[in-house]
Amino acid sequence: MKSALMKNLPEQHRMLTLNQVENFLRTETLGPWSHRAFSNFRTEIFDPIKGLLVVTIVVTEELSNGAGALHGGAIATIIDVLTTAILLASDLRPSVTIDLHTTCISAAQIGDDVTIEARIDNIGKSIQFSSCRLFTRLDTDTDSDNVGKEKIVATGLHTKKV
């Protein structure tokens, strides 16, 4: 069954495999800086039909600011690259960014695991819309009241012209 996201796309516009998407993230294919943000990522969920890509990274010193937290520029890069990756996984048409909106909400420190959830919101004939959120798990200690709860680090919206 085809997703509503995919119904208007001809078959030749689809789709990349998980291996191809991971290759994009590990190399300079999406830009000379993108592979630095994803040097230590692991894929949690890859579902181009539902328009969802979830990866986890560890905040490294290379991605941090002077305060030892995930840098805002690194956050914008992560949002740009992951939303582009899930869009390419579902629609191979070349596209360019019209708007990239990033909101930084809280800090993730060096050594923190940050989970990034990139979603396709809509794919039209000439415009693509995607969103992203970055979060950390508050506590992984099974005795804590915070087990399974998330702390939002940042959110993003990405609009692209095909």
Side-chain angles (χ1 to χ4, degrees):
M1 181 173 186
K2 290 184 182 176
S3 162
L5 293 171
M6 309 293 276
K7 69 180 179 184
N8 294 327
L9 292 177
E11 196 66 36
Q12 69 268 23
H13 291 307
R14 288 180 267 137
M15 77 179 30
L16 294 179
T17 65
L18 173 59
N19 187 47
Q20 290 169 314
V21 168
E22 288 181 339
N23 187 51
F24 276 134
L25 300 179
R26 285 192 177 96
T27 64
E28 294 186 5
T29 305
L30 296 177
W33 30 256
S34 61
H35 70 285
R36 292 185 176 154
F38 299 100
S39 62
N40 61 16
F41 79 97
R42 66 182 181 274
T43 304
E44 309 288 342
I45 300 171
F46 174 71
D47 190 337
I49 299 296
K50 290 184 179 175
L52 178 63
L53 174 61
V54 179
V55 303
T56 298
I57 64 165
V58 177
V59 178
T60 61
E61 190 171 330
E62 187 174 40
L63 298 176
S64 68
N65 59 23
L70 185 60
H71 192 284
I75 290 170
T77 297
I78 289 165
I79 291 169
D80 181 20
V81 170
L82 279 182
T83 53
T84 297
I86 191 59
L87 285 165
L88 281 171
S90 299
D91 181 357
L92 289 173
R93 296 178 295 169
S95 62
V96 295
T97 297
I98 294 173
D99 181 57
L100 180 65
H101 182 84
T102 303
T103 303
C104 298
I105 298 168
S106 64
Q109 300 300 318
I110 293 173
D112 285 353
D113 284 349
V114 176
T115 301
I116 305 108
E117 198 175 83
R119 294 184 176 276
I120 296 172
D121 298 322
N122 189 38
I123 294 177
K125 291 180 183 176
S126 63
I127 304 286
Q128 302 170 328
F129 300 91
S130 58
S131 57
C132 191
R133 64 187 198 108
L134 291 75
F135 59 92
T136 59
R137 302 277 181 213
L138 285 176
D139 201 336
T140 55
D141 180 357
T142 56
D143 294 332
S144 171
D145 291 335
N146 289 327
V147 171
K149 292 184 180 176
E150 301 168 351
K151 177 180 84 168
I152 300 293
V153 173
T155 61
L157 299 172
H158 196 181
T159 306
K160 300 193 86 170
K161 171 78 170 134
V162 177

